[in-house]
Amino acid sequence: MTATICGTGSYIPSYTMDNNDIARLVETSDEWIRERTGVARRHIAKDETTVSMAAEAAGRALADAGIPPEEVDLILVSTISSDVILPCAACEVQKEIGALHATCFDLSAACTGFVLAYNTALAYLSQGVYRTALVIGSESLSNLTNWKDRGTCILFGDGAGAAVLRAVDPEKRAYLPVTHSDGSKGAALSCKSRHDYNGLIGKIRPEAMLDESHYMQMDGQAVFKFAVKRVPEVIGEVLKLNRLDTDEIAYYILHQANKRIVEAVAKRLNEPMEKFPMNLQEYGNTSSASIPILLDEMNREGRLAAGQKLVLAGFGAGLTWGAAVIEWR
Ligand code: UT7
């Protein structure tokens, strides 16, 4: 048994900040940001929350799949920007959409999160544990962004994307994913919990809240070098494992972090840029939401055809990276 994506959805906040808005906060320019990252604007959750965006994206994915919420057995939310610690975002989404019978939990693996959540759901569905799963990536990164740090605030944005997976008959070909982690390099991209007041849990020290380590901190060059090396590698591994050739792949749906990273991956794989769709110019880096948002856009634009093989590839904090092959419904 394997599973197939039978519906997608996304939610993007309407409030936008373009590069000139960012240049009013830190010393930077529209030209620098576009040239070094490809980002032109990002959408910011003002009235939305991580849960409200996730629930909206989930509802749209279910509508696309034509599946009622009562039929969902599993809800998996990938996020690093939960609104609250408890209850988990997935349980809140369950409540919002009325998926009464679902088992719900969150997964935290930053920008590789959607690929890992997809793999997790696939494993459950392939084993016959569940039949229908909702896999969601939702992020309010603006809450974790240090708006005084030009090394990071230029990059990130908010949004949510979702996919409905359904178990399908054994005749359909199953693809195995490849994933990796390297915890020894975790310092390259970090963010302390707002609830660890310098280790003095229970003794609230409000002045510690503004410590820079409570926002995302990144060694941009280290992450860049890691991405351009590891992403083509893991794509090569997943193709080899599944005995696929690059000319059998219609699109590579990469985590949307930086245009230069996407271009470098295409170059290393010796594949044309047309196979690497991008929307980071509009949304910036939305961490675990970026892959499902892009997938949903392509689905709704009619760019995906039945039988096409796609590679999903994520990379980010942890460090973590991984790739999965999907065959479009
Ligand atoms: O989701 C996964 C996690 N994140 C990523 O994938 C991000 C990976 N990294 C990157 O995308 C890039 O490293 C950045 C976009 C963050 C930075 O680009 P870069 O080309 O690596 O710049 P840099 O840090 O090497 O800095 C080059 C220069 C420096 O000036 P000097 O020393 O050459 O005079 C920086 O001070 O650009 C300067 N700089 C800026 N200038 C204007 C750094 N940030 C900015 C800025 N505006 N925002």
Side-chain angles (χ1 to χ4, degrees):
M1 187 121 65
T2 184
T4 186
I5 292 180
C6 55
T8 64
S10 59
Y11 178 87
I12 309 293
S14 58
Y15 181 77
T16 58
M17 280 175 85
D18 67 18
N19 292 342
N20 291 319
D21 294 323
I22 302 284
R24 282 188 274 277
L25 302 176
V26 290
E27 202 182 323
T28 191
S29 64
D30 177 47
E31 191 190 3
W32 194 95
I33 302 172
R34 279 179 197 260
E35 195 182 303
R36 306 306 292 169
T37 72
V39 178
R41 68 187 65 78
R42 65 287 293 144
H43 293 241
I44 303 291
K46 277 194 124 183
D47 302 318
E48 301 87 347
T49 63
T50 296
V51 164
S52 73
M53 293 190 292
E56 193 59 46
R60 291 176 187 180
L62 286 173
D64 183 42
I67 291 176
E70 300 79 27
E71 284 185 24
V72 176
D73 304 306
L74 172 70
I75 300 177
L76 212 42
V77 175
S78 168
T79 186
I80 54 165
S81 47
S82 285
D83 309 312
V84 295
I85 290 179
L86 297 171
C88 70
C91 280
E92 293 286 280
V93 170
Q94 176 196 32
K95 182 177 68 181
E96 292 295 317
I97 65 172
L100 305 174
H101 308 297
T103 293
C104 309
F105 60 94
D106 291 359
L107 185 150
S108 167
C111 310
T112 317
F114 185 80
V115 173
L116 289 170
Y118 169 82
N119 293 345
T120 306
L122 183 65
Y124 276 117
L125 269 50
S126 302
Q127 289 299 311
V129 179
Y130 303 121
R131 185 158 177 263
T132 306
L134 243 177
V135 181
I136 305 163
S138 185
E139 304 286 6
S140 312
L141 298 181
S142 54
N143 291 330
L144 306 180
T145 299
N146 180 352
W147 293 101
K148 292 178 184 162
D149 173 18
R150 70 176 183 171
T152 51
C153 76
I154 55 165
L155 293 171
F156 299 108
D158 301 337
V164 181
L165 268 72
R166 195 150 231 195
V168 288
D169 64 53
E171 282 137 53
K172 191 122 177 151
R173 185 171 167 193
Y175 299 96
L176 290 171
V178 177
T179 53
H180 298 285
S181 304
D182 182 359
S184 73
K185 303 218 170 58
L189 185 40
S190 64
C191 181
K192 261 197 193 171
S193 164
R194 306 288 167 91
H195 301 272
D196 173 11
Y197 301 99
N198 287 353
L200 296 169
I201 292 169
K203 296 178 188 169
I204 295 174
R205 298 198 315 159
E207 71 276 11
M209 289 294 287
L210 299 176
D211 185 315
E212 295 211 329
S213 63
H214 291 91
Y215 299 99
M216 282 188 286
Q217 294 189 304
M218 181 176 69
D219 178 344
Q221 283 191 12
V223 177
F224 191 95
K225 283 182 194 152
F226 145 75
V228 299
K229 183 172 188 312
R230 296 302 187 190
V231 178
E233 254 175 36
V234 79
I235 291 174
E237 285 177 80
V238 86
L239 294 181
K240 194 171 170 206
L241 181 68
N242 292 290
R243 293 192 183 85
L244 290 168
D245 209 61
T246 47
D247 57 17
E248 293 174 80
I249 303 304
Y251 292 109
Y252 298 88
I253 317 256
L254 265 49
H255 164 51
Q256 302 286 290
N258 184 320
K259 182 177 174 229
R260 289 187 297 137
I261 293 177
V262 180
E263 288 169 349
V265 172
K267 199 168 168 199
R268 286 204 186 189
L269 289 171
N270 202 20
E271 283 279 80
M273 276 310 293
E274 299 80 64
K275 285 190 175 185
F276 291 79
M278 273 192 268
N279 61 9
L280 59 87
Q281 57 278 9
E282 180 63 33
Y283 307 123
N285 176 345
T286 57
S287 192
S288 65
S290 80
I291 290 175
I293 290 173
L294 182 54
L295 194 61
D296 182 49
E297 278 190 356
M298 294 184 71
N299 179 21
R300 281 167 203 276
E301 286 164 9
R303 293 168 71 188
L304 301 173
Q308 273 179 342
K309 294 179 191 67
L310 318 175
V311 170
L312 311 183
F315 55 93
L319 297 172
T320 56
W321 63 107
V325 177
I326 64 173
E327 194 170 313
W328 193 245
R329 56 185 174 178

